[in-house]
Amino acid sequence: KGAVGKEVYKCVMVFCQQLGCEVVELNVQVDHVHLLVKVPPKLAISELMGVLKGRTAIRLFNVFPYMRKKPFWGNHFWAKGYCVDTVGLNSEMIQKYVKFQEKEELHQQQLQFEQAGGPSLKGR
């Protein structure tokens, strides 16, 4: 959220560029990140993820020192794992998923809330 989310976005963009990767789509959400990136064949995905997660965490803790006091995953910014998949012919579909995932999640939450009998927030 806010400045932290913007810094995560900036870090991912900069570190990907430094590694020779092309960010096709990036969506930073409150508790996770969706990323569609073109990675050169000489770069291991594990190396890319290590750089992104490690250097981004270091940068965030330096820029926002108050975050060191938050109880993240064992005092780390990122969780241990990540999910990776390759994209072939469906790259446009994956790009749309990454771009609109947060909007879709909010829509699904609203539908569940309305089905549970809560007031609708539409039109606000």
Side-chain angles (χ1 to χ4, degrees):
K1 281 180 148 176
V4 175
K6 289 177 183 174
E7 190 64 29
V8 169
Y9 187 95
K10 184 175 87 172
C11 286
V12 170
M13 296 297 282
V14 168
F15 298 143
C16 280
Q17 183 182 23
Q18 288 175 352
L19 292 169
C21 300
E22 178 189 344
V23 175
V24 178
E25 198 66 54
L26 172 60
N27 187 337
V28 177
Q29 297 185 25
V30 175
D31 61 351
H32 62 282
V33 172
H34 290 274
L35 173 64
L36 179 60
V37 61
K38 290 183 181 179
V39 180
K42 65 182 180 180
L43 180 64
I45 300 300
S46 59
E47 182 180 350
L48 169 65
M49 294 309 300
V51 168
L52 288 180
K53 291 172 76 171
R55 291 179 65 191
T56 299
I58 290 168
R59 171 80 178 156
L60 290 172
F61 288 137
N62 286 333
V63 174
F64 306 102
Y66 71 89
M67 291 179 66
R68 293 181 184 163
K69 295 180 174 105
K70 295 232 179 200
F72 291 108
W73 300 271
N75 289 328
H76 299 283
F77 181 75
W78 299 102
K80 286 184 180 182
Y82 54 88
C83 177
V84 175
D85 200 357
T86 58
V87 177
L89 299 174
N90 296 336
S91 63
E92 286 182 26
M93 180 182 71
I94 300 297
Q95 184 175 355
K96 287 178 185 175
Y97 171 83
V98 170
K99 187 173 187 172
F100 298 110
Q101 182 59 31
E102 184 173 24
K103 184 177 179 180
E104 179 62 27
E105 285 179 8
L106 291 172
H107 177 70
Q108 290 298 322
Q109 288 173 357
Q110 179 61 31
L111 287 176
Q112 289 175 351
F113 186 68
E114 288 173 6
Q115 290 173 349
S120 174
L121 298 177
K122 289 182 181 175
R124 288 189 184 180

